[in-house]
Amino acid sequence: MAERCDIAIIGSGPGGYVAAIRAAQLGFKTVCIEKNSTFGGTCLNVGCIPSKTLLQGTEMLYHLQHQGKEFGLAFSDLKVDFTQLMSKKKQVVKTLVDGVAGLLKKNKVDVIEGLAEFVSPNTVKVTGKDKKTVEVEASYFIIATGSEPISLKDIPIDERQVVTSTGILSLPKVPSTLVVVGAGVIGVELASVYNRLGSKVMILEMLDHICPALDADLSRQLQKELQKQGIEFHLSSQAITAVVQPEEVILMANLGGVLKNISTNVLLVAVGRRPFTSGLQLEKAGVEKNKKGYITVDGNLRTTQPHIFAIGDVIDGVMLAHRASAEGVAVVEYLKGNRPEVDYLAIPNVIYTYPEVAVVGLSEQEAKEAGIDVMVGKSYFRGNARARCTGETEGFVKVVGDRKSGKLVGAHILGPHASELIAEAMLALQKKAKVEDLADAPQAHPTFSEAIKEAALDALGRPLHQ
Ligand code: NAI
């Protein structure tokens, strides 16, 4: 007999599990279906969380190696215990995925492990690893099945020597050489990890600049900083084929117009992700996808079948965990009769390199293209007292405002703790604050946040510290 519920959520990533918790809190009888044995999806298991743990460990190493001496920290035998670093990563992942299991239980979400497929618009069949099946009937469904790495036709992935963002997180040892295809977020973050651990790292990027979604100023500066750290970049370059041999991969690539064979221990393919809808049998539910494979949704995140919703990476838009969570909450609030809104413009985007990059709102180019009479202010961390104290003087804050209304339209930070600093600009943008509000904010001294104030002052033509 089929299990009946109000809302069935397929997928337990940051979109699905957050939607499930909120749905249950709002009084819906909620089921969350997950094909993997742990909750949390890509983000917790093989994405944000493990990568940020590896980035943290290796950034500590980087600072000790490059700044230790200045601060009088002498050591003669600084070693990396890679196995321990990997254990730390596993332990952090376990704590968080167990935490999600605990939250689902506490909120009385019914969880079912197995692969869901629609058998009709109102019923899914869930097949467990033991091949046993259970049917779930629901008044509403939320598809939150996420995304998977894109692979290149002539470069087969084995997740050992030719890896995606999943395999690179579980290498058995630090490779002597690492070639990364794609200078996007995953490319630069994971290149940073292994560069700091001592691998010789090369990145190939098809375009003539890295991290294409970034404001051009930040993209250029980030590349410079990463080059200073030893990462080699080849822009306007493409990977063509790869042959795997016992200890090396031979990559044939077009490096800026010249064909070359490159030998590397490990090849990371990080050329983007695509929506994951495999096995869902969407056609049996009347749910349509667009040409790029994303599930089509309307402004309320309803698919072509009005009682079925889709959120997160499986629909078009920037692939971010916090965007998926916001959409998950918005859907269940909508089903409760509330009028939620996801403020897409105020969703920040972070790259956890050193220095970090964090952006929110429109870039200078986007603002100009939107016909805004742009005012721009900048503040460099080399002029920030706190950054001087910590020795993290690379980078800047760039504030973009609308000269006519005075409102903030975007903020772009490349520098220390940018991931945390962006929160102030995000709130300012969400609350439609003016650049002047940021300039008037009384910041504690000495803090990195003063750089935001200073950039806002600069945009208004009254800088104090530059
Ligand atoms: P991406 O879209 O950020 O970057 C892919 C890069 O590969 C682009 O620069 C593209 O021009 C390049 N490229 C594509 N095909 C190529 C080829 N054949 N040869 C050379 N270069 C090629 O994708 P990425 O880095 O794989 O990340 C996937 C998604 O995961 C992103 O949408 C990102 O938002 C999300 N993510 C977010 C993180 C964060 O918030 N910190 C961390 C990691 C991933």
Side-chain angles (χ1 to χ4, degrees):
M1 217 177 71
E3 177 163 346
R4 249 246 35 99
C5 65
D6 299 322
I7 306 181
I9 297 164
I10 308 172
S12 75
Y17 90 75
V18 171
I21 291 173
R22 188 64 194 136
Q25 288 172 348
L26 289 170
F28 292 110
K29 183 169 164 26
T30 308
V31 167
C32 185
I33 304 162
E34 171 55 59
K35 69 174 170 41
N36 294 333
S37 54
T38 55
F39 300 111
T42 300
C43 172
L44 270 70
N45 292 281
V46 287
C48 322
I49 299 305
S51 63
K52 263 80 262 181
T53 311
L54 297 182
L55 280 156
Q56 170 64 17
T58 56
E59 194 179 315
M60 284 159 74
L61 173 71
Y62 176 79
H63 286 308
L64 276 176
Q65 284 170 334
H66 294 87
Q67 292 180 302
K69 214 167 159 195
E70 264 179 72
F71 285 86
L73 303 171
F75 44 84
S76 54
D77 195 18
L78 184 62
K79 280 198 187 121
V80 174
D81 180 345
F82 188 63
T83 312
Q84 174 54 32
L85 178 62
M86 288 297 183
S87 308
K88 172 72 185 167
K89 177 209 73 174
K90 276 190 209 149
Q91 177 228 317
V92 172
V93 169
K94 181 165 177 2
T95 305
L96 290 176
V97 298
D98 288 351
V100 172
L103 288 171
L104 291 170
K105 192 168 172 202
K106 183 178 151 203
N107 285 283
K108 302 196 171 37
V109 174
D110 191 2
V111 298
I112 301 179
E113 189 184 325
L115 189 71
E117 65 180 285
F118 282 97
V119 290
S120 75
N122 289 90
T123 310
V124 291
K125 183 171 85 179
V126 185
T127 308
K129 288 216 173 81
D130 55 6
K131 302 283 175 231
K132 283 195 183 135
T133 61
V134 54
E135 290 205 342
V136 179
E137 268 175 31
S139 308
Y140 302 102
F141 289 88
I142 302 176
I143 303 172
T145 46
S147 59
E148 60 181 352
I150 294 176
S151 50
L152 298 169
K153 193 165 74 59
D154 296 315
I155 305 187
I157 303 289
D158 62 13
E159 293 295 14
R160 290 157 54 84
Q161 287 166 278
V162 183
V163 296
T164 65
S165 53
T166 301
I168 193 78
L169 295 170
S170 298
L171 294 181
K173 59 179 187 187
V174 177
S176 310
T177 47
L178 170 68
V179 172
V180 180
V181 185
V185 193
I186 292 177
V188 295
E189 286 187 358
L190 273 311
S192 294
V193 166
Y194 284 95
N195 182 51
R196 293 169 192 165
L197 289 171
S199 305
K200 189 170 166 19
V201 180
M202 176 195 282
I203 306 187
L204 271 58
E205 167 58 50
M206 185 171 79
L207 304 175
D208 63 359
H209 57 285
I210 72 166
C211 297
L214 284 183
D215 183 282
D217 265 358
L218 277 91
S219 165
R220 264 193 306 270
Q221 190 65 29
L222 178 63
Q223 187 185 338
K224 269 192 209 156
E225 297 293 343
L226 296 176
Q227 270 166 340
K228 267 198 264 168
Q229 291 166 27
I231 297 177
E232 185 182 323
F233 284 90
H234 291 272
L235 303 182
S236 307
S237 298
Q238 261 175 299
I240 301 169
T241 57
V243 179
V244 176
Q245 293 177 357
E247 282 298 316
E248 63 174 350
V249 180
I250 308 291
L251 172 71
M252 199 222 261
N254 176 342
L255 299 187
V258 181
L259 284 187
K260 275 214 169 143
N261 282 335
I262 304 163
S263 160
T264 179
N265 294 127
V266 173
L267 178 67
L268 166 64
V269 179
V271 293
R273 299 180 64 87
R274 64 171 161 234
F276 181 78
T277 53
S278 211
L280 272 178
Q281 308 280 13
L282 292 177
E283 57 293 343
K284 292 194 182 155
V287 170
E288 285 170 20
K289 296 192 276 188
N290 68 16
K291 280 194 196 120
K292 290 192 278 175
Y294 292 100
I295 294 179
T296 313
V297 288
D298 67 10
N300 289 314
L301 303 164
R302 277 186 314 200
T303 67
T304 40
Q305 188 64 262
H307 69 286
I308 303 179
F309 295 74
I311 60 171
D313 289 6
V314 82
I315 62 171
D316 209 350
V318 44
M319 290 184 172
L320 293 169
H322 44 287
R323 169 198 150 207
S325 302
E327 289 176 341
V329 171
V331 167
V332 295
E333 293 286 352
Y334 171 80
L335 291 176
K336 192 68 185 172
N338 299 327
R339 293 187 167 275
E341 249 183 49
V342 180
D343 188 349
Y344 287 100
L345 192 64
I347 291 183
N349 207 333
V350 175
I351 307 178
Y352 293 81
T353 41
Y354 180 78
E356 289 181 347
V357 179
V359 303
V360 70
L362 301 181
S363 68
E364 185 180 348
Q365 300 93 297
E366 285 167 341
K368 282 180 179 157
E369 278 159 27
I372 295 172
D373 180 9
V374 168
M375 60 175 168
V376 172
K378 251 190 182 176
S379 160
Y380 291 85
F381 282 103
R382 60 174 180 262
N384 175 274
R386 181 77 194 283
R388 285 281 163 194
C389 300
T390 65
E392 299 166 290
T393 50
E394 301 90 353
F396 56 85
V397 175
K398 178 174 176 179
V399 161
V400 183
D402 178 343
R403 196 178 295 283
K404 203 162 142 213
S405 65
K407 288 198 179 136
L408 179 73
V409 296
H412 308 267
I413 308 175
L414 183 143
H417 309 279
S419 55
E420 302 295 334
L421 290 178
I422 202 68
E424 181 187 350
M426 176 277 298
L427 196 62
L429 201 68
Q430 196 187 35
K431 297 297 165 203
K432 310 206 175 340
K434 294 189 168 181
V435 172
E436 201 169 6
D437 297 322
L438 286 178
D440 290 344
Q443 299 288 358
H445 176 73
T447 55
F448 299 114
S449 309
E450 287 176 293
I452 299 181
K453 180 182 175 81
E454 190 65 35
L457 282 167
D458 186 49
L460 298 171
R462 41 189 179 100
L464 287 171
H465 293 90
Q466 44 193 326

